[in-house]
Amino acid sequence: MLFTKILSLLLLAIFSLAGSAAGLQAAELIKVPTAWIDRHETFLIWYAKQKGWDAEEGLDIDIQYFPSGKAILEGLDSNAWVFAGMGDVSALRGSHHYNTTIIAVANDEASTSAVLVHKSSPILKVKGWNKDYPDVYGSPETVRGKTFLTTSTTSSQYALISWLKVLGLTDKDVIIKDMDQTQALTAFGNNLGDGVSLWSPYIFHGLDRGWQVVADLHKCKMTNPIMLVAESKYAEEHPDIVAKFLKLCMRTVDVLQKGLTDEVVSEYQRFYLEWAGKEYSKELCLADLKAHTVYNLNEQLVLFDTCRGSSMIEKWQADIVSFLNRPGSDSPVDPAAIKNNATDRYLKLLAPEAVYTDAHAASAAAPAQ
């Protein structure tokens, strides 16, 4: 009897210590608020969170929803986040006005920012008018004077303007109707306008309706990088946490680059349904995953490399600045916004895990050709 009581007390003590240790471990997790919109880049951190990788790094990643990059930046006034994913336009403004720093590239959406037309459009009768862009449809004669629906100062308008430039035209040669993506999708479906410029996943809804892509940013030899950014002061004070955050994102990138398995596609579908509140088919989710280029750690280091002059990041941003500062633009930015707004300092903290080679340099630079 005495032995049984002693054994019970020992077991109780062991379980109590284990419970205390588990509670202490949970309490020691560092809360990290992050900000995102309902796009592909958020999957990088969402998937890592689902796998429990953040806890493995001693972090508790809080993934907050915001309706736009502009709203994310405005959230800094209330210290709502320390890391975020946003488009290059928002990232430029963030570094210039909100004290943020670009710390990595989330993805390239060049293939998912496109101009679409109905199958009956005369624009489709001409392909390769500009010999340097053989896969682009349209000509000055078939496009001039037409009406296009787009969302102002976004990747959809960037795609439209880039396409017009390939054809030797500007936004002054066409009629542009500004509306959000849902409105544009609905309006063009009701035969308003001669073309519509959409981003993912709206582009896939258009394709499902039989609309045809006349050009996208990739076909126009442009990029559309989505950036991972940090609040600069926080990053400087906590470089170890920045490195851990990037490691989480890079782990998901590695999963995506190994192959889009059924498990990955199903998780992507669940991400949109449970986090973003949007129900998409597995077919659409697979198409969206395939259309986004992601960069592993090796490729990231190449994109930030300045050994041969300006980095690819700087060149990509210079293209965005040219778009924003085109004649007649109502949202110009100071070209100085590019200066020192991106750093590979935190990626290099992971560098021992990377293999930096010319082969990776070639693959990473390829989208910008």
Side-chain angles (χ1 to χ4, degrees):
M1 180 67 72
L2 180 61
F3 174 77
T4 303
K5 287 184 176 180
I6 293 173
L7 181 60
S8 298
L9 289 172
L10 284 172
L11 289 174
L12 181 61
I14 290 171
F15 286 129
S16 296
L17 286 172
S20 298
L24 181 61
Q25 183 180 20
E28 289 177 346
L29 292 179
I30 299 172
K31 190 83 168 182
V32 180
T34 63
W36 310 83
I37 61 175
D38 54 352
R39 301 277 283 276
H40 173 276
E41 63 270 16
T42 309
F43 185 67
L44 299 184
I45 198 63
W46 182 89
Y47 187 80
K49 178 74 175 181
Q50 295 299 305
K51 292 294 184 181
W53 295 340
D54 60 334
E56 291 177 15
E57 299 296 331
L59 306 180
D60 179 12
I61 299 291
D62 179 24
I63 308 172
Q64 302 178 51
Y65 172 84
F66 283 78
S68 66
K70 179 182 178 182
I72 289 177
L73 290 176
E74 291 171 347
L76 269 180
D77 292 336
S78 58
N79 300 311
W81 58 270
V82 294
F83 302 122
M86 61 182 65
D88 207 12
V89 172
S90 294
L92 278 167
R93 293 209 167 97
S95 61
H96 204 51
H97 300 291
Y98 290 87
N99 194 34
T100 62
T101 302
I102 295 170
I103 55 174
V105 179
N107 59 49
D108 178 18
E109 294 190 330
S111 295
T112 64
S113 298
V115 182
L116 299 92
V117 298
H118 294 297
K119 283 184 177 179
S120 58
S121 173
I123 295 173
L124 291 170
K125 294 180 179 179
V126 182
K127 184 179 182 181
W129 176 85
N130 186 328
K131 304 303 179 185
D132 293 330
Y133 303 86
D135 296 322
V136 171
Y137 287 89
S139 65
E141 292 73 24
T142 59
V143 173
R144 186 180 286 110
K146 297 293 193 296
T147 298
F148 295 92
L149 317 180
T150 189
T151 307
S152 179
T153 321
T154 65
S155 61
S156 66
Q157 188 182 32
Y158 187 32
L160 175 61
I161 299 302
S162 297
W163 173 53
L164 293 174
K165 186 176 180 179
V166 167
L167 302 179
L169 302 174
T170 72
D171 45 358
K172 303 302 180 183
D173 295 303
V174 297
I175 300 168
I176 296 177
K177 300 287 188 180
D178 179 22
M179 54 185 70
D180 68 36
Q181 292 284 282
T182 301
Q183 291 174 326
L185 186 73
T186 301
F188 194 63
N190 291 326
N191 295 312
L192 175 64
D194 301 289
V196 61
S197 193
L198 301 170
W199 63 61
S200 169
Y202 301 100
I203 177 179
F204 298 110
H205 291 301
L207 293 174
D208 284 344
R209 299 180 185 187
W211 305 347
Q212 302 292 303
V213 172
V214 293
D216 59 37
L217 281 169
H218 181 71
K219 289 181 173 66
C220 293
K221 301 182 180 180
M222 305 297 286
T223 58
N224 181 32
I226 304 301
M227 301 301 191
L228 297 178
V229 306
E231 196 281 319
S232 300
K233 187 173 184 292
Y234 181 89
E236 290 167 2
E237 294 176 350
H238 305 283
D240 56 326
I241 297 179
V242 182
K244 289 178 179 181
F245 167 75
L246 290 174
K247 182 179 180 181
L248 297 176
C249 294
M250 292 303 103
R251 286 186 72 173
T252 302
V253 167
D254 288 341
V255 169
L256 295 176
Q257 289 191 340
K258 285 177 181 175
L260 301 178
T261 64
D262 184 68
E263 185 269 340
V264 170
V265 177
S266 294
E267 285 296 277
Y268 193 62
Q269 184 182 35
R270 186 166 73 89
F271 150 69
Y272 263 116
L273 181 62
E274 295 182 2
W275 187 81
K278 296 184 176 181
E279 187 171 2
Y280 296 136
S281 69
K282 290 188 74 171
E283 292 74 19
L284 185 151
C285 289
L286 177 59
D288 195 43
L289 285 167
K290 286 182 175 180
H292 285 83
T293 300
V294 291
Y295 303 97
N296 61 36
L297 180 55
N298 305 312
E299 295 162 340
Q300 295 274 348
L301 293 172
V302 173
L303 293 174
F304 280 82
D305 182 53
T306 57
C307 290
R308 297 183 179 89
S310 297
S311 69
M312 292 306 304
I313 300 296
E314 291 172 320
K315 292 176 181 177
W316 290 353
Q317 290 188 94
D319 290 334
I320 299 289
V321 168
S322 294
F323 157 65
L324 294 172
N325 290 351
R326 68 192 185 281
S329 171
D330 58 359
S331 55
V333 298
D334 188 341
I338 298 175
K339 299 297 182 182
N340 303 315
N341 74 336
T343 179
D344 59 2
R345 169 190 173 191
Y346 307 106
L347 286 165
K348 285 181 175 178
L349 294 177
L350 305 178
E353 302 175 22
V355 180
Y356 189 89
T357 67
D358 288 340
H360 283 110
S363 64
Q369 297 291 314

